[in-house]
Amino acid sequence: MERPRHQGMAKNTYMRWRLPLVCLLWEVAMIVLFGVFVHFGAEADAHWEEEKREMNLTSDIENDFYFRYPSFQDVHVMIFVGFGFLMTFLKRYGFGAVGFNFLLAAFGIQWALLMQGWFHSFKNGKILIGVENLINADFCVGSVCIAFGAILGKTSPIQLLVMTLFQVTLFSVNEYILLNLLHVKDAGGSMTIHTFGAYFGLTVTRILYRPNLEQSKDKQGSVYHSDLFAMIGTLYLWMYWPSFNSAISDHGDAQHRSAINTYCSLAACVLTTMAFSSMLQKKGKLDMVHIQNATLAGGVAVGTSAEMMLTPYGSLIVGSISGIVSTVGYVYFTPFLESRLHIQDTCGIHNLHAMPGLIGGIVGAITAAAATEDVYGKEGFIKAFDFTGAYQTRTPSIQGGFQAAGIVVSLLMAFAGGAIVGGILKLPIWGDAAAENCFEDDVYWEV
Amino acid sequence: MERPRHQGMAKNTYMRWRLPLVCLLWEVAMIVLFGVFVHFGAEADAHWEEEKREMNLTSDIENDFYFRYPSFQDVHVMIFVGFGFLMTFLKRYGFGAVGFNFLLAAFGIQWALLMQGWFHSFKNGKILIGVENLINADFCVGSVCIAFGAILGKTSPIQLLVMTLFQVTLFSVNEYILLNLLHVKDAGGSMTIHTFGAYFGLTVTRILYRPNLEQSKDKQGSVYHSDLFAMIGTLYLWMYWPSFNSAISDHGDAQHRSAINTYCSLAACVLTTMAFSSMLQKKGKLDMVHIQNATLAGGVAVGTSAEMMLTPYGSLIVGSISGIVSTVGYVYFTPFLESRLHIQDTCGIHNLHAMPGLIGGIVGAITAAAATEDVYGKEGFIKAFDFTGAYQTRTPSIQGGFQAAGIVVSLLMAFAGGAIVGGILKLPIWGDAAAENCFEDDVYWEV
Amino acid sequence: MERPRHQGMAKNTYMRWRLPLVCLLWEVAMIVLFGVFVHFGAEADAHWEEEKREMNLTSDIENDFYFRYPSFQDVHVMIFVGFGFLMTFLKRYGFGAVGFNFLLAAFGIQWALLMQGWFHSFKNGKILIGVENLINADFCVGSVCIAFGAILGKTSPIQLLVMTLFQVTLFSVNEYILLNLLHVKDAGGSMTIHTFGAYFGLTVTRILYRPNLEQSKDKQGSVYHSDLFAMIGTLYLWMYWPSFNSAISDHGDAQHRSAINTYCSLAACVLTTMAFSSMLQKKGKLDMVHIQNATLAGGVAVGTSAEMMLTPYGSLIVGSISGIVSTVGYVYFTPFLESRLHIQDTCGIHNLHAMPGLIGGIVGAITAAAATEDVYGKEGFIKAFDFTGAYQTRTPSIQGGFQAAGIVVSLLMAFAGGAIVGGILKLPIWGDAAAENCFEDDVYWEV
């Protein structure tokens, strides 16, 4: 069945051979690299019985699996159902939203296990993996899912795989700089996941600017049931965000505290989002776009500080502000970005991830700088910020400065990386669709 | 776009300013109150290391977080996806179902943390919160979601927020009377959540009776895909109900037992629901309304007794009966309530929550009254019913009596509270729609 | 409303009395049998305090509930939402897919608790149940859900209940032979659940062959939104499969390892599925049928070996291969099975469960045969394969042989059982629809 081709140049979106080749070659590469590098960590290895004795653990329940596995599964749902369904709001791009998100995330987690493994779990030539690595791989891919939101409907699956390859790599480098070199705290990833992921994606979509995109304007909207599918994504992200922000925090109080702070921030965010969604429309009606997205900004904005002593009250304030900023962004900034800066941001990730991510980084820096031994307790203070070894003498205000530096580094990595990767994706070999065929599943899917 | 206005009096459903004002003022109030009152509990506070030593705990895994967090997340899903999607069955009210449920629950959990905190976690002028408080806040809001089911499609979002404010308050008072003054057991909330929530909602909808509701009769039905969306809600409620009933039970055997009893009761309930759904229709075909709702009655009906030694066999009986009662209710009682008692119960909460809630209270009273040291063991008996301190001399049969009193108190609170709140909601200032515009998202949402 | 009846003989699909009778009688039987046999296990009984002391456990967290409950809930979601929604892809059979799956699973878990209980948890005349029994009951029912996939749309609810009764029985016998008599390892059920369930279902559908099924060909396809509903099922199966394969593994490293291996296998499987889905179509477009199903083959194919030292690298290989085999199966084998062997396999379970199940059995046999004390450690080796007591002298290669025997036994049980049960279901008393009314909810549901 021939699709008519209008004014835009005819583009070759034929995926047979190209897509299979990329998928298969890359999977073979993964197999080889896993074969050479990846081993089970001590807690997943059959030698655990001996290990347990050596570590003086009295029970199997002390295995890290039981501290983190429930959170891992929640995060897993956020990546695959949360992000996947959040993007199904387009009337004719549901397969692409869920399906390509599935594809890029499935590849990304493998590559992330390697990249993050080399940086953080490398011992005697081997990457030792356990449940925490699985969570971190999901986190890393989360930043790719965010960037995907900016270019949704405008790229081929090959472009997405190429972007994933590069973005996971850059993410891991940035994460290493922040966590290891700057010794920055960012358990929920306001900086490493959201700020980096969003500005990376926004830069990529800027480079891939399509001047004739209004040719597919009619397909950029939603229909009634596609908006309900998107609410499945929204709610799973919203509900499980406490798990996201607490998944890799220290055992005990830190995980507990992260979950509470995030719960509070998200609850407040819903109210301010609803308020501004109604207030900013002449007719005073609520807009599903805001409800689907801005209600989540509260989770992003406490990503750095949730495990600190932000307090429930502080969380409500941060959540309230981020809901307002995000909703205002959808109403005013997104049109501005598109018309003036030529940034076509399909899902409005600037409002959901970029600005709240910056807020999150700043709140984290302030919360760290304001930390006192009185509030944290002597031991708690050292443990919360890991002020041991080389960092024994670091003070809260210096830590705050490093936290702020982490924001800047993430932004620079995102802009530079996004520009380079955008340039690569602009090459005319990846099979993206012409402007009039964007936001249309029929291009890459049997419909 | 002007909507035609028929015979009903024209109503002002314009939300701009009114809804934002309520949302923002209330969120500010929450922030102030949280600032004054809410602190992290010991297990979420950075002083946990010292606390751990004092409590003589050897491992972080003893933190209550690890006993309850997985159940908390399941309950969280039930409140936001479970109740939210269960109510999407209406063909043109999916946004309102999911969106307003989201709004009222997000506000309600904040207010519940305060109200329940003052009653149960207040120490030296501070409310100390941990994961159990989050679960209880979700529970409290669950009773509001239930009441929402009765008035679904007929109220403005402001009315729902007003109702939430009052209902959470009354819920907390009722819960305090039952748990603290009557020393009643009700871990899964047959009385506090379901009986109270349902009769409260039914009273409210009675007060808000709309004589001309048949004007929107065509929108009160479902369409094929809206019924499938509703099944998402049903199944998540059904699957996670064992977590609901066990979430705040005592550590160890009580949580374990609650989950098993609930699992059994729910399984049996599905079979009797299917049986009666087919049997009560002339054509013998199954009705999705029954499958979506009555299959859940088994979870409601063991809400009080699940943590007791109800036994799997007893659970099957309770589940079987409640499935029958609930299905019969949908076929015969709901039309009767509407035509004779002027109780317009959109979702049929009388069948899903009210009657099974009463069954649950009664089964709980009987199970408690029948308890023996032989069945529970000497220590288990004391622990299960908390027969310590002032209650050291309470016998099972007296406990059964107090349990029964708990049902009566819950009913009285629901009727009285519902009448007052219904009266408040009847004021013509809240922006509800005219009868011919009920069950229609277009009134409050950009569609 | 009369439905036209074409050439096929008119069939009586009237369910009133028949369906209620079966449901109610069977539920009564369950109640009686539970009353006679089922008790709480020690960890769910109120005597737990004493038990804890006797077992020398220091904390409630040692209760098996906390080791397995999160995984149980994930498995529960897979059975009811995963399988249920996966089958909603048909345009007019969404109610039947979700609803009948709900019915048969709710009955099946009760019967499985008894059957498996008699074989595995029987002590002093009582079946003692705990969370592990709940998981195993869900597992057993999983095999029925698989078989349901082959006959989806062509059977009455009564036939499904009859099939469930027999299949659960045979499953339990087969499982007993494998686990107890052959002393085979199969924690994720490649053999007991997938191979047995799939070949059982394929045999049943062969016996129930409908020569005129092309009369309902127009209803065998999907529509846009039914494919999105199906993706909900797919993703929940995919995401939670690590929980499935690890749910009943030994505490500690075995659970941890199972989850990691499954995670890796599934990730790889997505890439090869996408590759072959595009490659095998002339137009190079992706096919939702493959994405919905073949992406899951990686979970099936490590069902036996995931808890062994398969290694992440080995998992990637197994996942890659099974994705390819499964996709090729959908393109070439399914049409062949239908046209040549008269096996009408609605959901293609041959590709998703049968072949990957066989791969899983074989990989398990090889992995077991290749085990060494060096890789597992001395204690780990004995623990992993339970080489204690009567099996103290069993060597890895002998274990590999028994594993292989387990595949053969499962196949024989499936063929023999499927033939008998298929014969029973062919009796003209169960109320199945005529060929032209297959795949149509209107037959058994109020639509």
Side-chain angles (χ1 to χ4, degrees):
Chain A
M1 181 183 27
E2 293 286 303
R3 262 170 299 104
R5 287 187 177 113
H6 306 294
Q7 52 270 62
M9 63 173 166
K11 289 207 171 195
N12 179 4
T13 60
Y14 193 59
M15 283 293 111
R16 202 179 181 188
W17 309 127
R18 275 191 288 185
L19 180 60
L21 205 71
V22 171
C23 286
L24 295 178
L25 275 183
W26 291 13
E27 190 54 51
V28 169
M30 290 300 110
I31 291 172
V32 171
L33 290 168
F34 269 60
V36 176
F37 289 109
V38 181
H39 275 218
F40 292 122
E43 303 188 280
D45 192 286
H47 287 81
W48 162 249
E49 283 299 318
E50 298 154 33
E51 186 75 19
K52 213 165 57 175
R53 216 159 29 234
E54 268 172 45
M55 293 171 72
N56 218 4
L57 300 177
T58 53
S59 162
D60 282 325
I61 198 85
E62 301 275 353
N63 193 305
D64 196 35
F65 183 78
Y66 302 103
F67 286 91
R68 304 202 187 276
Y69 189 72
S71 310
F72 157 65
Q73 275 295 4
D74 294 348
V75 171
H76 216 40
V77 171
M78 293 173 74
I79 300 298
F80 290 89
V81 161
F83 282 112
F85 272 90
L86 181 61
M87 295 189 280
T88 58
F89 71 99
L90 291 171
K91 67 178 78 156
R92 291 296 299 172
Y93 206 72
F95 294 2
V98 168
F100 293 154
N101 186 69
F102 196 14
L103 172 62
L104 71 85
F107 166 64
I109 53 180
Q110 297 177 60
W111 180 226
L113 279 176
L114 289 165
M115 280 302 305
Q116 296 180 314
W118 284 317
F119 278 123
H120 301 288
S121 310
F122 201 59
K123 215 175 143 183
N124 302 328
K126 297 294 172 193
I127 295 167
L128 302 176
I129 67 173
V131 64
E132 196 173 337
N133 298 69
L134 305 190
I135 297 170
N136 276 313
D138 272 23
F139 275 4
C140 174
V141 160
S143 87
V144 185
C145 299
I146 290 166
F148 179 32
I151 54 177
L152 183 74
K154 302 175 294 184
T155 43
S156 77
I158 302 181
Q159 282 178 306
L160 296 174
L161 285 170
V162 171
M163 185 177 85
T164 305
L165 179 72
F166 286 107
Q167 194 179 345
V168 166
T169 310
L170 291 164
F171 175 99
S172 306
V173 172
N174 185 52
E175 185 187 47
Y176 178 76
I177 296 173
L178 264 66
L179 303 190
N180 295 54
L181 304 187
L182 302 179
H183 195 70
V184 149
K185 304 299 282 184
D186 194 24
S190 289
M191 294 178 281
T192 54
I193 300 168
H194 299 286
T195 302
F196 170 77
Y199 284 104
F200 182 93
L202 291 167
T203 310
V204 167
T205 198
R206 174 65 192 81
I207 307 275
L208 298 180
Y209 176 63
R210 288 168 175 272
N212 301 315
L213 200 58
E214 80 284 354
Q215 286 174 9
S216 49
K217 204 73 190 175
D218 59 310
K219 281 174 281 182
Q220 266 198 74
S222 63
V223 290
Y224 195 68
H225 279 170
S226 72
D227 267 327
L228 278 179
F229 278 115
M231 278 305 290
I232 297 174
T234 298
L235 287 175
Y236 275 98
L237 287 169
W238 193 90
M239 297 179 303
Y240 286 164
W241 216 296
S243 299
F244 193 92
N245 285 346
S246 66
I248 57 161
S249 290
D250 285 341
H251 293 172
D253 60 303
Q255 279 195 287
H256 203 149
R257 190 163 56 241
S258 298
I260 294 173
N261 280 328
T262 310
Y263 176 95
C264 290
S265 176
L266 285 162
C269 187
V270 174
L271 267 86
T272 55
T273 297
M274 294 269 182
F276 274 73
S277 181
S278 171
M279 198 197 296
L280 298 180
Q281 311 256 11
K282 224 173 59 193
K283 286 190 260 171
K285 295 187 184 184
L286 297 163
D287 188 328
M288 279 304 267
V289 172
H290 309 154
I291 313 309
Q292 282 159 10
N293 292 281
T295 51
L296 302 168
V300 177
V302 296
T304 303
S305 56
E307 64 173 4
M308 304 177 189
M309 289 291 281
L310 177 60
T311 75
Y313 142 77
S315 303
L316 291 189
I317 295 175
V318 176
S320 297
I321 292 171
S322 59
I324 294 170
V325 169
S326 187
T327 309
V328 169
Y330 275 97
V331 178
Y332 297 114
F333 296 175
T334 298
F336 173 84
L337 289 179
E338 175 149 5
S339 59
R340 299 300 170 84
L341 303 184
H342 288 181
I343 296 172
Q344 295 159 324
D345 177 7
T346 311
C347 295
I349 63 164
H350 184 256
N351 315 305
L352 171 45
H353 298 283
M355 291 189 298
L358 289 178
I359 294 174
I362 294 165
V363 170
I366 295 171
T367 312
T372 63
E373 282 199 12
D374 187 45
V375 169
Y376 286 75
K378 201 176 159 62
E379 288 169 85
F381 179 74
I382 293 166
K383 196 179 157 199
F385 296 97
D386 204 11
F387 285 159
T388 54
Y391 303 99
Q392 219 168 341
T393 57
R394 200 181 260 193
T395 64
S397 54
I398 293 176
Q399 178 69 21
F402 276 100
Q403 294 281 144
I407 306 173
V408 178
V409 170
S410 298
L411 281 172
L412 293 177
M413 288 288 293
F415 291 133
I420 295 165
V421 173
I424 295 168
L425 297 183
K426 224 178 153 69
L427 297 175
I429 56 174
W430 308 120
D432 56 316
E436 71 265 27
N437 293 325
C438 284
F439 313 115
E440 172 58 57
D441 272 335
D442 185 45
V443 179
Y444 303 111
W445 297 86
E446 293 285 339
V447 178
Chain B
M1 183 181 29
E2 292 287 302
R3 260 170 301 102
R5 287 186 177 114
H6 305 294
Q7 53 270 60
M9 62 172 167
K11 289 208 172 194
N12 178 6
T13 60
Y14 192 60
M15 282 293 112
R16 202 179 181 187
W17 311 125
R18 274 192 287 186
L19 180 60
L21 205 72
V22 171
C23 287
L24 294 179
L25 275 183
W26 291 13
E27 190 55 51
V28 169
M30 290 301 112
I31 290 172
V32 172
L33 290 168
F34 268 60
V36 175
F37 289 110
V38 181
H39 276 216
F40 293 122
E43 303 188 281
D45 192 286
H47 287 81
W48 162 248
E49 283 299 318
E50 298 154 33
E51 186 76 19
K52 214 165 59 176
R53 217 161 27 235
E54 268 171 45
M55 295 171 70
N56 219 4
L57 300 176
T58 54
S59 163
D60 282 324
I61 199 86
E62 300 276 353
N63 193 303
D64 197 36
F65 183 77
Y66 302 103
F67 286 90
R68 305 205 186 274
Y69 190 72
S71 311
F72 157 64
Q73 275 294 3
D74 294 350
V75 170
H76 216 39
V77 171
M78 293 173 74
I79 299 298
F80 290 89
V81 160
F83 281 112
F85 272 89
L86 181 61
M87 296 188 280
T88 58
F89 72 99
L90 290 172
K91 67 178 79 156
R92 291 296 299 172
Y93 207 72
F95 295 0
V98 168
F100 292 154
N101 186 71
F102 196 12
L103 172 63
L104 72 84
F107 166 64
I109 53 179
Q110 297 177 58
W111 181 227
L113 279 176
L114 288 165
M115 281 301 306
Q116 295 179 315
W118 283 316
F119 279 123
H120 301 288
S121 309
F122 202 60
K123 215 176 142 181
N124 300 328
K126 298 294 171 191
I127 295 167
L128 302 176
I129 66 173
V131 64
E132 195 171 340
N133 298 68
L134 306 191
I135 297 169
N136 276 314
D138 273 24
F139 276 6
C140 173
V141 160
S143 88
V144 185
C145 299
I146 290 166
F148 179 31
I151 54 176
L152 182 74
K154 301 176 292 185
T155 42
S156 76
I158 302 180
Q159 282 178 306
L160 295 173
L161 284 171
V162 171
M163 184 178 84
T164 305
L165 179 73
F166 286 107
Q167 195 180 344
V168 165
T169 310
L170 291 164
F171 175 99
S172 305
V173 173
N174 185 53
E175 186 186 47
Y176 178 75
I177 296 172
L178 264 67
L179 304 190
N180 295 53
L181 304 187
L182 302 179
H183 196 70
V184 148
K185 304 298 282 183
D186 194 24
S190 290
M191 295 178 282
T192 54
I193 302 168
H194 299 286
T195 302
F196 170 76
Y199 284 104
F200 181 93
L202 291 167
T203 310
V204 168
T205 199
R206 175 64 192 82
I207 307 275
L208 298 181
Y209 175 63
R210 286 167 175 275
N212 300 315
L213 200 57
E214 80 284 354
Q215 287 174 9
S216 50
K217 205 73 190 173
D218 58 310
K219 281 173 282 181
Q220 266 199 75
S222 63
V223 291
Y224 196 67
H225 279 170
S226 72
D227 266 328
L228 278 179
F229 278 115
M231 278 304 290
I232 296 174
T234 298
L235 287 175
Y236 274 98
L237 288 169
W238 193 91
M239 296 180 303
Y240 286 164
W241 216 296
S243 299
F244 193 93
N245 285 347
S246 66
I248 57 161
S249 289
D250 285 341
H251 293 172
D253 61 300
Q255 279 196 284
H256 203 149
R257 189 162 59 242
S258 297
I260 295 172
N261 280 329
T262 310
Y263 176 96
C264 290
S265 176
L266 285 162
C269 186
V270 174
L271 268 85
T272 56
T273 297
M274 295 269 183
F276 275 73
S277 180
S278 170
M279 198 196 295
L280 298 180
Q281 311 257 12
K282 225 173 58 190
K283 287 189 261 172
K285 295 187 184 185
L286 296 164
D287 188 328
M288 278 305 266
V289 172
H290 309 154
I291 312 309
Q292 283 159 9
N293 292 282
T295 51
L296 302 168
V300 178
V302 295
T304 303
S305 57
E307 63 173 6
M308 304 178 189
M309 290 292 281
L310 178 60
T311 75
Y313 142 77
S315 303
L316 292 188
I317 294 175
V318 176
S320 297
I321 291 170
S322 58
I324 294 169
V325 169
S326 187
T327 310
V328 169
Y330 276 98
V331 178
Y332 297 113
F333 296 175
T334 297
F336 173 83
L337 289 179
E338 176 149 4
S339 60
R340 299 300 170 85
L341 303 185
H342 289 180
I343 296 172
Q344 295 159 325
D345 177 7
T346 312
C347 296
I349 64 164
H350 185 256
N351 314 305
L352 170 44
H353 298 282
M355 291 189 298
L358 288 178
I359 294 175
I362 294 165
V363 170
I366 295 171
T367 312
T372 64
E373 281 198 12
D374 188 44
V375 169
Y376 286 76
K378 200 176 162 62
E379 288 168 86
F381 180 73
I382 293 167
K383 196 178 155 199
F385 295 97
D386 204 11
F387 285 159
T388 54
Y391 304 99
Q392 220 168 341
T393 56
R394 201 180 261 195
T395 63
S397 54
I398 293 176
Q399 178 69 22
F402 276 99
Q403 295 280 145
I407 307 174
V408 178
V409 171
S410 298
L411 281 171
L412 294 178
M413 288 289 292
F415 292 134
I420 295 165
V421 174
I424 294 168
L425 297 183
K426 225 179 154 66
L427 297 176
I429 57 173
W430 308 119
D432 57 316
E436 71 265 27
N437 294 325
C438 283
F439 314 114
E440 171 59 56
D441 273 334
D442 185 45
V443 179
Y444 302 112
W445 298 85
E446 292 285 338
V447 177
Chain C
M1 183 181 28
E2 291 287 300
R3 263 170 297 103
R5 286 184 178 115
H6 306 294
Q7 53 269 62
M9 61 173 167
K11 289 208 171 193
N12 178 5
T13 60
Y14 193 60
M15 283 293 110
R16 202 180 181 185
W17 310 127
R18 274 190 289 183
L19 179 61
L21 205 72
V22 172
C23 286
L24 294 179
L25 276 183
W26 291 13
E27 190 54 51
V28 169
M30 290 301 111
I31 291 172
V32 171
L33 290 168
F34 268 61
V36 175
F37 289 109
V38 181
H39 275 215
F40 292 122
E43 303 188 281
D45 192 285
H47 287 81
W48 162 248
E49 284 299 318
E50 299 154 33
E51 186 75 20
K52 213 165 57 174
R53 218 162 26 237
E54 266 172 46
M55 294 170 71
N56 217 4
L57 299 177
T58 54
S59 163
D60 282 324
I61 198 87
E62 301 276 352
N63 193 303
D64 197 35
F65 183 78
Y66 302 103
F67 287 91
R68 304 202 187 276
Y69 189 72
S71 310
F72 157 65
Q73 275 295 3
D74 294 349
V75 170
H76 217 38
V77 172
M78 292 173 75
I79 299 299
F80 290 88
V81 159
F83 282 112
F85 273 89
L86 182 61
M87 295 189 281
T88 58
F89 71 99
L90 290 171
K91 68 178 78 154
R92 292 295 301 171
Y93 207 70
F95 294 0
V98 167
F100 292 154
N101 187 69
F102 196 14
L103 172 62
L104 72 85
F107 166 64
I109 54 179
Q110 297 177 60
W111 180 225
L113 279 176
L114 288 165
M115 280 301 306
Q116 296 179 315
W118 282 318
F119 278 123
H120 301 288
S121 311
F122 202 59
K123 216 175 140 180
N124 302 328
K126 298 292 172 193
I127 295 168
L128 302 177
I129 67 172
V131 64
E132 196 172 338
N133 298 67
L134 306 191
I135 298 169
N136 276 314
D138 272 23
F139 276 5
C140 173
V141 160
S143 88
V144 185
C145 299
I146 291 166
F148 179 30
I151 54 177
L152 182 74
K154 301 175 294 187
T155 42
S156 77
I158 302 181
Q159 282 178 305
L160 295 173
L161 284 170
V162 171
M163 184 177 86
T164 304
L165 179 72
F166 286 106
Q167 193 179 345
V168 166
T169 311
L170 291 164
F171 176 99
S172 306
V173 173
N174 185 52
E175 185 187 46
Y176 178 75
I177 297 173
L178 264 66
L179 303 189
N180 295 53
L181 304 187
L182 302 179
H183 195 70
V184 149
K185 304 298 282 183
D186 194 24
S190 290
M191 295 178 282
T192 53
I193 302 169
H194 299 286
T195 302
F196 170 77
Y199 285 103
F200 181 93
L202 291 166
T203 310
V204 167
T205 198
R206 174 63 192 83
I207 307 276
L208 297 180
Y209 176 64
R210 286 168 175 273
N212 301 316
L213 200 57
E214 78 285 352
Q215 287 174 8
S216 50
K217 204 74 188 173
D218 58 311
K219 280 174 282 182
Q220 266 198 74
S222 62
V223 289
Y224 195 68
H225 279 169
S226 72
D227 267 326
L228 278 179
F229 278 116
M231 278 305 290
I232 297 174
T234 299
L235 287 175
Y236 274 99
L237 289 169
W238 192 90
M239 296 180 304
Y240 286 163
W241 216 295
S243 298
F244 193 93
N245 284 347
S246 66
I248 57 161
S249 289
D250 284 342
H251 292 172
D253 60 302
Q255 279 195 286
H256 203 150
R257 191 162 58 243
S258 298
I260 295 173
N261 280 329
T262 310
Y263 176 95
C264 290
S265 176
L266 285 163
C269 186
V270 174
L271 268 85
T272 56
T273 297
M274 294 269 183
F276 274 73
S277 180
S278 169
M279 200 198 293
L280 298 179
Q281 311 258 10
K282 223 174 58 192
K283 287 190 260 171
K285 294 188 185 185
L286 296 164
D287 188 329
M288 278 305 267
V289 172
H290 309 154
I291 311 310
Q292 282 159 10
N293 292 281
T295 52
L296 302 168
V300 177
V302 296
T304 304
S305 56
E307 63 173 6
M308 304 177 188
M309 289 291 280
L310 177 60
T311 75
Y313 142 78
S315 303
L316 292 188
I317 294 174
V318 175
S320 298
I321 292 170
S322 58
I324 294 168
V325 168
S326 186
T327 310
V328 168
Y330 275 97
V331 178
Y332 298 114
F333 296 176
T334 297
F336 173 85
L337 289 179
E338 175 149 5
S339 60
R340 298 300 169 83
L341 302 184
H342 288 180
I343 296 172
Q344 295 160 325
D345 177 7
T346 311
C347 295
I349 64 164
H350 184 255
N351 314 305
L352 170 46
H353 298 283
M355 291 190 298
L358 289 178
I359 294 175
I362 294 165
V363 170
I366 295 171
T367 312
T372 63
E373 281 199 12
D374 187 45
V375 169
Y376 286 75
K378 201 176 159 65
E379 287 169 85
F381 180 74
I382 292 167
K383 195 179 156 198
F385 296 97
D386 204 11
F387 285 158
T388 53
Y391 304 99
Q392 220 169 343
T393 57
R394 199 181 262 195
T395 64
S397 54
I398 292 175
Q399 178 70 21
F402 276 99
Q403 295 280 144
I407 307 173
V408 178
V409 171
S410 298
L411 281 171
L412 294 177
M413 289 288 291
F415 291 133
I420 294 165
V421 175
I424 294 168
L425 297 183
K426 226 179 153 66
L427 297 175
I429 57 173
W430 310 119
D432 56 317
E436 72 267 26
N437 294 325
C438 284
F439 314 113
E440 171 59 57
D441 272 334
D442 185 45
V443 179
Y444 301 113
W445 298 86
E446 292 286 337
V447 177

